[in-house]
Amino acid sequence: MTTTLETLFNEHIKTTDRRRNDFSPEKNLQAYKLSTMDRKTRGTICEKVVCDILQDNGWQDVEHIGGTYHYDISTSEGSVECKSAMITSNGNYLFQAVKTEFFAHLALIAIHPESITIKMIDSKTADRMTNNQNAISITPKCFDSLPDIHTI
């Protein structure tokens, strides 16, 4: 039996395909679109959405900083870092590279196949949740108990 290059490539591509089949436009179009993006693009979009929500909620002097700065949004109420995470295969959200010494507030954007939820916590709460690991791993139930900013 002769194996074609197409067959060989398909076998290897299949094992490295990172698309998530649990996300779909029928469940939640915005969550699906975010699930198809690289982390940087998804992060920038989430930062801009959080800026809009903060302004809508009456926060003053809201400015998107983004990039490689220590936090993503500057406000008169303090600096805001944004972290997004898609639900993992074990059913948790994993927010990575959380450096609590650099921000006053942390916006956590949880991307689930059926919803996008944004919560806001202060740096002290974030520090307790990271347990000196620079990451927050949280179940959807615990995430839901955090203070809301917005759900779509």
Side-chain angles (χ1 to χ4, degrees), residues 25-144:
E26 295 77 26
K27 291 179 181 177
N28 184 297
L29 182 59
Q30 291 80 14
Y32 170 73
K33 287 181 178 180
L34 289 173
S35 77
T36 66
M37 297 175 184
D38 63 84
R39 267 192 228 177
K40 184 175 178 169
T41 303
R42 182 174 62 240
T44 300
I45 290 170
C46 289
E47 292 163 10
K48 291 178 180 181
V49 167
V50 170
C51 278
D52 291 344
I53 292 169
L54 294 176
Q55 288 174 330
D56 289 348
N57 286 337
W59 288 50
Q60 300 296 310
D61 303 319
V62 177
E63 180 185 355
H64 180 242
I65 305 293
T68 58
Y69 208 69
H70 293 303
Y71 53 86
D72 300 311
I73 301 167
S74 173
T75 77
S76 59
E77 287 83 0
S79 57
V80 179
E81 176 70 358
C82 299
K83 293 293 177 183
S84 66
M86 294 193 310
I87 196 151
T88 63
S89 59
N90 69 0
N92 292 340
Y93 296 106
L94 179 61
F95 300 95
Q96 300 179 0
V98 178
K99 298 174 184 163
T100 58
E101 65 271 20
F102 296 120
F103 57 82
H105 309 278
L106 177 61
L108 298 171
I109 302 96
I111 304 164
H112 185 276
E114 297 175 2
S115 64
I116 303 169
T117 305
I118 304 174
K119 304 287 187 169
M120 180 79 86
I121 57 176
D122 61 39
S123 61
K124 289 179 183 176
T125 301
D127 193 50
R128 283 193 304 273
M129 292 175 75
T130 62
N131 200 21
N132 297 319
Q133 299 297 315
N134 287 346
I136 296 174
S137 179
I138 189 168
T139 66
K141 184 176 180 178
C142 288
F143 185 83
D144 288 343

Side-chain angles (χ1 to χ4, degrees), residues 10-28:
N10 284 340
E11 281 302 307
H12 290 283
I13 290 170
K14 181 173 59 178
T15 61
T16 61
D17 188 352
R18 294 185 168 269
R19 285 180 293 167
R20 301 275 304 261
N21 61 9
D22 49 343
F23 285 82
S24 73
E26 295 77 26
K27 291 179 181 177
N28 184 297

